[in-house]
């Protein structure tokens, strides 16, 4: 099975499909400037040390929450201001989610990469609006999608003249409150475009805590090693200084103090996969 041969520009300086591993990482929600700058600063320092290209990730709005009482974020205006400050102060590109077509142009003024949430990966108007901004478009594979069908999401973006599109694997629904990762999906999707493996949402338990999602972060190292060995172009890992206090997805985030060891481990397996 041939993998995608072309490179995708995440930013002017960061490529997928090249010789460097790429990391998309940060707190799930942009809870505060303080949390974001602390997390981004430490992850950037680790990536600089390990030779990993880094894109800061956080969401200004978590629209796909389990219950109406769940924390969604600091608002679009407040969240984009936080992302803009982090981007400027750390000198790193940023990625964030868009949920509505009308958000794309405004968000693209700050974000270098627009992320399409898994539940929305078939939303044609959203994909097209994201593509038209000229920013790189990161599409998460829906939990309900066959990997070969993600080709059509890629095609929708490219039809707008934007070839800088790539996919993210985050597991497939397996009964209630459970996700599983079919490692076959990684080489299947890499026929169409580079692929990122979402470590932390792959161990999420959607709705598993009765009104909020749970998670099994103890399995994250196993899935990350498997994905690295299978062959991916980068990783998506949400992290937080205090996951137990995080306002979104705490149970599946990697504690910030464990990130250096975690990334060092992944990179060793990733480098081995490049030889095959």
């Amino acid at each position: 099975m041939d993998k995608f041969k072309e490179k995708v520009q995440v930013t002017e300086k960061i490529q997928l499909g090249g010789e460097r591993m790429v990391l998309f990482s940060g707190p799930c929600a942009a809870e505060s400037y303080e949390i974001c700058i602390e997390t981004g600063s430490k992850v950037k320092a680790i990536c600089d040390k390990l030779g990993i290209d880094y894109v800061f990730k956080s969401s200004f709005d978590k629209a796909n929450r389990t219950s109406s009482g769940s924390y969604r974020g600091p608002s679009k205006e407040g969240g984009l201001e936080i992302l803009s400050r982090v981007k400027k102060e750390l000198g790193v590109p940023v990625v964030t989610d868009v949920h509505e077509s009308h958000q794309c142009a405004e968000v693209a003024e700050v974000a270098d990469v627009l992320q399409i949430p898994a539940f929305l990966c078939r939303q044609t108007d959203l994909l097209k609006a994201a593509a038209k901004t000229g920013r790189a478009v990161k599409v998460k594979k829906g939990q309900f999608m066959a990997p070969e069908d993600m080709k059509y999401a890629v095609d929708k973006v490219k039809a707008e003249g934007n070839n800088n599109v790539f996919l993210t694997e985050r597991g497939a629904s397996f009964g209630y409150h459970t996700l599983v990762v079919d490692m076959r999906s990684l080489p299947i999707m890499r026929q169409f475009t580079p692929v990122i493996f979402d470590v932390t949402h792959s161990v999420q338990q959607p709705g598993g805590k009765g009104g909020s999602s749970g998670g099994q972060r103890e399995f994250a190292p196993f899935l990350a090693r498997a994905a690295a060995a299978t062959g991916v172009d980068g990783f998506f890992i949400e992290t937080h200084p205090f996951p137990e206090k995080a306002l979104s997805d705490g149970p599946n985030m990697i504690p910030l103090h464990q990130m250096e060891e975690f990334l060092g481990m992944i990179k060793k397996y990733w480098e081995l996969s490049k030889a095959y």
Side-chain angles (χ1 to χ4, degrees):
M1 183 177 293
D2 291 333
K3 66 181 180 180
F4 186 75
K5 298 296 194 303
E6 299 175 21
K7 295 179 175 60
V8 164
Q9 293 293 141
V10 180
T11 67
E12 184 179 345
K13 296 182 179 180
I14 298 178
Q15 287 185 331
L16 288 174
E19 297 304 313
R20 287 174 64 89
M21 192 175 104
V22 181
L23 175 70
F24 302 81
S25 183
C28 179
E31 302 173 15
S32 69
Y33 166 75
E34 291 74 19
I35 289 292
C36 287
I37 198 68
E38 177 184 356
T39 304
S41 297
K42 291 185 177 178
V43 176
K44 180 180 184 295
I46 294 167
C47 287
D48 288 345
K49 179 179 179 180
L50 296 176
I52 298 170
D53 286 334
Y54 176 47
V55 180
F56 177 82
K57 182 273 165 185
S58 199
S59 300
F60 65 83
D61 181 26
K62 304 298 295 184
N64 297 326
R65 300 310 308 275
T66 304
S67 69
S68 60
S70 297
Y71 178 77
R72 287 186 55 163
S75 80
K76 182 175 66 176
E77 292 74 17
L80 290 179
E81 181 181 354
I82 290 171
L83 292 174
S84 181
R85 289 180 66 186
V86 170
K87 176 179 178 176
K88 182 178 180 180
E89 292 178 33
L90 296 185
V92 298
V94 300
V95 56
T96 196
D97 309 90
V98 287
H99 296 88
E100 304 282 352
S101 301
H102 65 79
Q103 295 176 334
C104 293
E106 182 179 0
V107 174
E109 293 180 7
V110 174
D112 302 270
V113 182
L114 301 185
Q115 178 169 277
I116 308 299
F119 287 124
L120 303 178
C121 68
R122 288 173 54 122
Q123 295 293 99
T124 301
D125 290 343
L126 179 60
L127 288 163
K128 288 180 174 290
K132 288 176 181 177
T133 66
R135 295 297 196 181
V137 181
K138 178 179 182 293
V139 186
K140 286 198 164 187
K141 179 175 79 64
Q143 301 91 324
F144 48 88
M145 292 287 289
E148 57 268 25
D149 291 340
M150 290 304 295
K151 175 183 184 299
Y152 305 108
V154 172
D155 289 345
K156 289 176 184 179
V157 175
K158 289 186 174 182
E160 300 303 315
N162 187 341
N163 291 324
N164 291 319
V165 54
F166 54 103
L167 298 173
T168 300
E169 170 60 62
R170 53 112 351 123
S173 296
F174 187 73
Y176 301 118
H177 307 315
T178 303
L179 298 171
V180 296
V181 178
D182 179 358
M183 291 295 165
R184 296 175 301 177
S185 70
L186 304 177
I188 290 171
M189 292 194 296
R190 285 186 92 217
Q191 296 175 96
F192 320 134
T193 188
V195 173
I196 301 301
F197 181 65
D198 183 342
V199 175
T200 42
H201 286 98
S202 292
V203 297
Q204 186 188 59
Q205 295 174 307
K209 294 183 70 177
S212 64
S213 292
Q216 296 176 303
R217 74 167 66 93
E218 65 269 25
F219 293 117
F222 302 99
L223 293 181
R225 287 197 293 265
T230 301
V232 290
D233 300 283
F235 295 86
F236 179 102
I237 303 174
E238 290 185 337
T239 183
H240 193 284
F242 307 102
E244 67 280 2
K245 296 181 180 180
L247 300 179
S248 176
D249 272 354
N252 45 278
M253 282 198 277
I254 304 299
L256 184 57
H257 72 271
Q258 295 178 8
M259 281 292 283
E260 182 168 353
E261 180 180 2
F262 195 88
L263 288 172
M265 174 268 294
I266 292 176
K267 191 162 187 283
K268 290 178 182 178
Y269 281 81
W270 184 82
E271 288 174 338
L272 286 172
S273 75
K274 299 292 285 184
Y276 296 94

